[in-house]
Amino acid sequence: MTIDGLLALHTYRTGRTGRLPLVLLHGFPLDHHMWDDVVDLLPGDRTVLAPDLPGFGTSPAGADVSDALGAPAEPALETVADAVAATLRAAGVERAIVAGLSMGGYVAMALVERHPDLVAGLGLLDTKSTADDDAARANRLRIAGVVTADGDVDALLGMRRSLLGETSLVLRPELVERIEGWIRGQGPAGVAWAQRAMAARPDRTEVLTGFEPPALVLVGEEDEVAPLAAAQQLAAALASAVLVVVPRAGHLSSIENPEPVAAALDALGLRADQVHRAARD
Ligand code: MLT
């Protein structure tokens, strides 16, 4: 595998020059499609890119990505961040606004740590900077073992409901089926690799304290997976964060209430463009 083809990079649209590209990193156990509704609502003048992370969508398996990068064999979000950086650079992107939801947020924070020159603006959506506690880590390793033994992702289907907020479950039950379709589109090897990688992630709160470019922290008001307290901790660590609480949304704010998510990402983009232009002139 060449670095050029490292991760599948979905180009939603090509905008005009003078605007930083927006890179969207998806959550677990999904792929770039979880951004479709948000991107439909974004202004058309900005390039929007979304990789499928290793083992998800049409991207190669985590083990193959590690091999191609010469990275350690153990599953790691550091490898994911390096793969995103290499994929973007191969596509000619040297600087971008990077926004990630949940697992995508963990990867965005690893990018800030390992490839700070790439990140001109940071969006952390429904995510947290802390590491897992022992129970959460053990549960991830258990799930990795179950999907590997079963050879399918059925053990994750409970997430089609648990990722959604109460309002969506009552008023938008069709989302459950949509999420189920996305989960069923992933393979057990990719899911297991990602669970092991997330289990191994360190606390990255300190990484955020050194990050100065514009930042957005966004959380669904009904998110019980990465709740408001986690978002407040992120916002407190960042020098220039705007905190947005999205009404009528749980953990998957991007599909539960995409309008305020798109508006917040657009505002982040405009702030990052301004800082980027000022630094260049
Ligand atoms: C996600 O939505 O990406 C997951 O909730 C992340 C996690 O399992 O910590």
Side-chain angles (χ1 to χ4, degrees):
M1 195 193 331
T2 62
I3 294 286
D4 268 0
L6 197 56
L7 298 182
L9 185 63
H10 185 74
T11 303
Y12 276 105
R13 68 169 65 117
T14 304
R16 61 180 169 87
T17 50
R19 294 250 183 276
L20 288 157
L22 173 63
V23 176
L24 298 171
L25 305 176
H26 65 80
F28 174 93
L30 309 171
D31 59 31
H32 75 269
H33 284 297
M34 58 149 276
W35 295 111
D36 292 354
D37 297 5
V38 164
V39 177
D40 277 350
L41 296 163
L42 286 169
D45 55 359
R46 187 180 303 283
T47 296
V48 183
L49 305 167
D52 285 336
L53 299 179
F56 294 96
T58 56
S59 274
D64 293 337
V65 170
S66 302
D67 270 2
L69 288 170
E74 298 76 38
L77 292 181
E78 290 77 3
T79 302
V80 181
D82 291 355
V84 170
T87 302
L88 291 175
R89 290 193 176 113
V93 176
E94 294 297 331
R95 214 152 157 69
I97 301 147
V98 178
L101 187 143
S102 199
M103 177 178 74
Y106 307 157
V107 176
M109 288 180 255
L111 267 169
V112 168
E113 181 178 66
R114 298 170 71 79
H115 303 277
D117 293 352
L118 194 59
V119 188
L122 178 67
L124 298 175
L125 286 65
D126 299 290
T127 192
K128 49 185 175 254
S129 57
T130 47
D132 286 348
D133 60 21
D134 288 347
R137 199 172 298 122
N139 192 44
R140 288 192 195 280
L141 301 180
R142 183 187 65 77
I143 292 168
V146 170
V147 294
T148 305
D150 291 355
D152 60 42
V153 297
D154 288 3
L156 296 177
L157 290 180
M159 292 179 81
R160 67 194 154 179
R161 298 182 68 82
S162 63
L163 296 180
L164 294 173
E166 206 43 49
T167 304
S168 300
L169 287 171
V170 173
L171 298 181
R172 301 189 62 201
E174 73 281 3
L175 290 181
V176 173
E177 206 176 314
R178 198 166 171 214
I179 295 167
E180 175 170 341
W182 289 335
I183 295 175
R184 286 198 188 279
Q186 314 309 324
V191 161
W193 194 93
Q195 281 289 31
R196 293 188 174 112
M198 287 192 281
R201 78 187 192 285
D203 187 314
R204 285 205 161 85
T205 311
E206 283 301 310
V207 172
L208 301 180
T209 60
F211 185 78
E212 288 177 0
L216 161 71
V217 177
L218 180 146
V219 61
E221 70 174 345
E222 301 168 9
D223 187 346
E224 291 180 358
V225 181
L228 179 62
Q232 286 166 331
Q233 186 180 347
L234 295 173
L238 287 156
S240 58
V242 170
L243 175 63
V244 173
V245 180
V246 176
R248 298 179 300 286
H251 191 54
L252 285 187
S253 53
S254 65
I255 64 160
E256 293 180 71
N257 196 354
E259 286 86 358
V261 177
L265 287 172
D266 184 39
L268 171 67
L270 296 175
R271 285 165 65 213
D273 284 344
Q274 208 171 25
V275 171
H276 183 61
R277 259 196 314 271
R280 225 186 25 197
D281 296 345

